Amino acid sequence: LTRSPPLAAVTGSDASGPDPQLAVTMGFTGFGKKARTFDLEAMFEQTRRTAVERSRKTLEAREKEEEMNREKELRRQNEDIEPTSSGAHVVRDCSKSSSRDTSSSESEESSGSSDDELIGPPLPLKMMEEPSNHIEEDILGPLPPPLYEEVEEDDDDDGDSEEEENPVQKIPDSHEITLKHGTKTVSALGLDPSGARLVTGGYDYDVKFWDFAGMDASFKAFRSLQPCECHQIKSLQYSNTGDMILVVSGSSQAKVIDRDGFEVMECIKGDQYIVDMANTKGHTAMLHTGSWHPKIKGEFMTCSNDATVRTWEVENPRKQRSVFKPRTMQGKKVIPTTCTYSRDGNLIAAACQNGSIQIWDRNMTVHPKFHYKQAHDPGTDTSCVAFSYDGNVLASRGGDDTLKLWDIRQFNKPLFSASGLPTMFPMTDCCFSPDDKLIVTGTSVQRGCGSGKLVFFERRTFQRVYEIDITDASVVRCLWHPKLNQIMVGTGNGLAKVYYDPNKSQRGAKLCVVKTQRKAKQAETLTQDYIITPHALPMFREPRQRSTRKQLEKDRLDPLKSHKPEPPVAGPGRGGRVGTHGGTLSSYIVKNIALDKTDDSNPREAILRHAKAAEDNPYWVSPAYSKTQPKTMFAQVESDDEEAKNEPEWKKRKI
């Protein structure tokens, strides 16, 4: 065995240097170089020393600054106390202060020479103006405040910014578009989180889909359907992911459809004969509204006339997740008219017909966390409750023509209340602006008695700061999308309006307004009408007679129509007419299959029918038995007289 060479010879790290042949052979270079080593303990020690030194310098600089400030305050006090006439004292004080300033400046220079950078808060403005203070160029921390002229300019800018921060100026109402949903009330609006699609529902049972990016200036919906058949649509809302839509109608079963309108799930219907509504699996009466959970995907909530609020999961449509039962202070049932989740999803708020607002913890269904029993007038339907974006304030739109604001941290009385807001629909909306500074709601009017309005209230003072006249009908739904900064409005005459501002709004209605209306192409018009048969066209259709009597009289005078019809052909056919069963062998066999072959005649008569022919022409039977058959003998029948003569004597005597 040969001994392996030493490591130094292999790596080429000897005194003569790396071997070039070895680098060529191995395919990489860098032999003989030593790896860099790090002494961690030394590094840590150096870091600690640096930190201690910087901290010491910072403390010294702060102490010096405090001493200078104290000296300045003492000097100001002395100047205020001493009369200005005593010039000697002033000169003396000035000399003292100058000596102090020089000493302090010398100390600062000495300290500045020791360390290049100053760490800490910046020096005051008046110290910068003194010629005795020398400030280094490189200062860590915020810059010193500007001079007096710059401060005044900033004050003017602040005034302009305050004017710009006026929330009324942020309302995007300079432009509008009108979407024609139908002729009846638009009772539901929904906009997906991205703001690309709008969905509208109404009292005409229709749900229509509007795509802002795909529409042109004609503003036509690209899809219309009736997901709940003959039930009015009460509420539509996109999920937080935008892939599902919650449809709440006048039935007892809520539905979830996807973005294209196909059904995803339908909630089960409960048993109406069960007394305790917590023991049945679903709602048993008409629904009012619904809402998606803002954080959990696939969870939503509905409230119904069966005096329950139920939460559901899309994956489990056969049973609700939990049941909340609103109660009066005496423990009786009360019907919830609207419900919603808080912004974080931990609270569930519901307004009831007795005028109360009840708020539960999402995970505790027994007793409400907050209960205010006289929020609105009893017997009126509170149409909407909405949480602010910060989650601390709740707005309620009452059926008593009021709008109230509540702080859920002190839920014992309303913060503000506004009256004179008429409503005639059980789903009139209220919502917060994206910056949480305004609250929006709509008003209702009788037909021909004015126009419905969109009213804006300032949240901080609850003053009525702005109004928009929408149309000559009630304003039912309003929706302010935070991403688009556009306001959607549903009215009582079947219109859905979108308000926007070209400068303040994003996408949405701005996409479809700029597109010109497309002309119908020739090919498209030809492919729309499907012709099944040419004779179905109106030009080939025979005129319909109003009365049959005149037509019968005309047919009677016509010799072709009034002649006797020919009898059906029974045989194989004659006169060029084919028989009833045709003239082929197969048709003949088919005809005779169903014939009855049974013979019901007397067999003796059938045999005797051929007796004479057999006697005249004995061909088959007689020759066969001619040799063996005896001569036929027939007994002759005697008459009654002959029988009496031939009777024996004993019979005669007996008679």
Side-chain angles (χ1 to χ4, degrees):
L1 296 175
T2 60
R3 190 175 181 181
S4 60
L7 182 62
V10 175
T11 58
S13 60
D14 53 356
S16 62
D19 188 4
Q21 296 296 331
L22 184 61
V24 173
T25 304
M26 299 298 292
F28 58 91
T29 59
F31 297 99
K33 294 182 179 180
K34 293 183 179 180
R36 184 180 178 183
T37 58
F38 297 94
D39 191 354
L40 297 180
E41 294 182 357
M43 293 172 65
F44 290 149
E45 183 64 24
Q46 182 66 26
T47 305
R48 188 183 64 79
R49 290 178 181 176
T50 304
V52 170
E53 186 68 21
R54 287 194 176 185
S55 301
R56 184 181 61 79
K57 292 178 180 180
T58 304
L59 292 174
E60 290 178 357
R62 289 182 179 176
E63 288 177 357
K64 292 177 181 179
E65 184 179 352
E66 291 177 358
E67 289 179 0
M68 293 174 64
N69 291 334
R70 284 197 295 268
E71 289 178 359
K72 285 185 178 182
E73 290 179 359
L74 291 173
R75 189 164 61 242
R76 289 175 186 171
Q77 292 176 1
N78 294 332
E79 290 177 356
D80 294 338
I81 294 172
E82 294 178 359
T84 56
S85 59
S86 57
H89 296 285
V90 174
V91 172
R92 186 169 57 252
D93 292 338
C94 291
S95 62
K96 289 181 181 178
S97 62
S98 61
S99 63
R100 290 173 184 171
D101 293 340
T102 52
S103 62
S104 62
S105 62
E106 289 176 358
S107 62
E108 283 183 1
E109 287 178 358
S110 62
S111 63
S113 62
S114 62
D115 53 330
D116 296 331
E117 298 181 355
L118 294 177
I119 301 175
L123 297 177
L125 179 62
K126 294 183 179 180
M127 292 178 63
M128 293 179 61
E129 295 177 356
E130 293 181 359
S132 61
N133 297 335
H134 301 285
I135 302 174
E136 299 292 336
E137 294 181 355
D138 298 333
I139 299 177
L140 297 180
L143 295 175
L147 300 177
Y148 293 104
E149 293 81 7
E150 296 178 359
V151 171
E152 292 177 359
E153 292 178 358
D154 290 343
D155 292 338
D156 296 336
D157 294 337
D158 291 338
D160 296 337
S161 63
E162 288 179 359
E163 292 180 358
E164 292 178 357
E165 289 180 356
N166 187 8
V168 178
Q169 296 181 357
K170 295 184 178 181
I171 299 175
D173 64 333
S174 61
H175 296 69
E176 67 171 297
I177 63 172
T178 302
L179 308 177
K180 181 70 174 177
H181 174 84
T183 57
K184 296 187 178 180
T185 301
V186 177
S187 56
L189 284 178
L191 200 59
D192 66 343
S194 63
R197 285 188 178 182
L198 173 69
V199 59
T200 59
Y203 280 4
D204 54 358
Y205 322 134
D206 288 339
V207 173
K208 292 190 176 183
F209 293 79
W210 314 79
D211 191 353
F212 290 118
M215 279 193 305
D216 55 10
S218 61
F219 305 131
K220 292 183 179 179
F222 72 91
R223 182 169 290 115
S224 177
L225 51 97
Q226 292 185 356
C228 302
E229 297 177 351
C230 58
H231 293 285
Q232 296 176 349
I233 307 300
K234 297 292 189 68
S235 174
L236 294 171
Q237 187 180 4
Y238 274 90
S239 61
N240 50 6
T241 55
D243 57 344
M244 293 181 291
I245 305 172
L246 174 61
V247 182
V248 177
S249 64
S251 66
S252 60
Q253 297 172 273
K255 286 187 178 182
V256 176
I257 59 178
D258 60 4
R259 286 178 62 87
D260 298 323
F262 298 101
E263 183 176 329
V264 177
M265 63 88 73
E266 183 180 14
C267 298
I268 192 173
K269 186 176 182 179
D271 189 353
Q272 60 184 346
Y273 297 105
I274 295 179
V275 177
D276 189 0
M277 285 291 104
N279 295 331
T280 183
K281 298 180 179 180
H283 287 295
T284 61
M286 180 185 70
L287 299 176
H288 284 290
T289 187
S291 176
W292 286 99
H293 194 283
K295 302 293 184 183
I296 301 176
K297 181 180 179 181
E299 180 180 333
F300 61 93
M301 169 179 55
T302 56
C303 65
S304 169
N305 264 356
D306 60 1
T308 60
V309 177
R310 300 173 190 261
T311 59
W312 304 81
E313 293 176 347
V314 177
E315 292 79 8
N316 186 18
R318 307 303 299 172
K319 188 178 181 181
Q320 75 271 349
R321 179 184 175 274
S322 58
V323 181
F324 300 87
K325 296 185 290 185
R327 292 288 186 265
T328 62
M329 299 303 290
Q330 293 78 21
K332 297 181 180 179
K333 290 183 180 180
V334 62
I335 296 176
T337 57
T338 183
C339 58
T340 187
Y341 281 101
S342 61
R343 293 292 176 177
D344 56 2
N346 295 329
L347 299 177
I348 290 177
C352 305
Q353 280 186 348
N354 65 342
S356 64
I357 295 179
Q358 304 182 28
I359 301 177
W360 293 269
D361 191 328
R362 174 177 165 270
N363 298 318
M364 299 179 64
T365 63
V366 181
H367 298 291
K369 189 174 182 181
F370 305 105
H371 186 176
Y372 193 81
K373 61 181 179 179
Q374 292 180 351
H376 293 278
D377 292 346
T380 60
D381 293 344
T382 303
S383 57
C384 179
V385 287
F387 280 90
S388 61
Y389 285 94
D390 58 12
N392 297 326
V393 176
L394 178 72
S396 62
R397 181 70 164 94
D400 53 357
D401 301 342
T402 61
L403 176 67
K404 294 186 179 182
L405 209 62
W406 311 81
D407 191 344
I408 61 172
R409 295 167 296 186
Q410 296 178 355
F411 202 71
N412 51 8
K413 63 178 181 179
L415 295 176
F416 302 101
S417 178
S419 59
L421 302 170
T423 174
M424 297 184 296
F425 292 89
M427 65 279 297
T428 303
D429 257 343
C430 65
C431 63
F432 286 84
S433 62
D435 57 0
D436 254 356
K437 294 182 179 180
L438 295 175
I439 303 171
V440 191
T441 187
T443 61
S444 301
V445 293
Q446 296 286 347
R447 182 175 297 178
C449 297
S451 60
K453 297 180 180 180
L454 201 63
V455 186
F456 296 81
F457 292 88
E458 190 176 3
R459 172 183 167 180
R460 186 170 52 87
T461 60
F462 218 64
Q463 293 181 354
R464 197 166 180 165
V465 293
Y466 196 67
E467 291 181 357
I468 302 176
D469 290 339
I470 305 298
T471 182
D472 56 350
S474 302
V475 176
V476 182
R477 289 285 188 179
C478 60
L479 179 64
W480 197 334
H481 196 270
K483 193 170 184 180
L484 301 181
N485 194 23
Q486 298 179 9
I487 303 175
M488 319 291 166
V489 180
T491 65
N493 56 357
L495 302 179
K497 292 198 172 187
V498 182
Y499 288 86
Y500 68 98
D501 191 300
N503 300 324
K504 303 171 186 175
S505 302
Q506 304 293 330
R507 300 176 65 82
K510 294 170 60 178
L511 300 177
C512 56
V513 171
V514 297
K515 295 182 180 179
T516 58
Q517 187 172 352
R518 291 175 294 183
K519 296 181 179 180
K521 296 182 180 180
Q522 188 77 12
E524 293 180 357
T525 57
L526 291 177
T527 55
Q528 286 177 358
D529 298 329
Y530 298 95
I531 300 176
I532 300 175
T533 57
H535 294 284
L537 295 174
M539 60 185 299
F540 293 105
R541 195 173 300 162
E542 295 181 359
R544 183 179 178 183
Q545 296 292 336
R546 295 183 179 179
S547 176
T548 58
R549 183 175 61 84
K550 293 182 179 181
Q551 184 66 31
L552 291 175
E553 291 177 356
K554 290 182 180 180
D555 295 344
R556 187 70 183 88
L557 298 176
D558 190 355
L560 295 178
K561 293 183 179 180
S562 61
H563 78 286
K564 180 182 178 182
E566 296 180 359
V569 182
R574 62 177 180 271
R577 297 172 61 199
V578 182
T580 55
H581 294 284
T584 60
L585 177 62
S586 60
S587 63
Y588 176 77
I589 293 173
V590 170
K591 176 184 176 182
N592 290 299
I593 283 176
L595 294 178
D596 191 3
K597 302 291 185 179
T598 57
D599 188 7
D600 296 335
S601 62
N602 191 357
R604 185 174 182 277
E605 293 179 356
I607 294 173
L608 292 178
R609 190 183 305 131
H610 304 282
K612 186 176 181 180
E615 185 178 357
D616 295 343
N617 186 15
Y619 180 77
W620 296 104
V621 179
S622 297
Y625 296 98
S626 60
K627 296 180 180 180
T628 60
Q629 183 72 19
K631 185 178 180 180
T632 305
M633 296 178 66
F634 295 98
Q636 298 186 7
V637 180
E638 297 178 352
S639 62
D640 294 340
D641 296 340
E642 291 178 353
E643 286 182 358
K645 290 179 181 180
N646 296 330
E647 277 187 1
E649 290 294 331
W650 62 273
K651 284 187 177 181
K652 293 179 181 179
R653 286 196 298 269
K654 189 176 181 180
I655 294 171

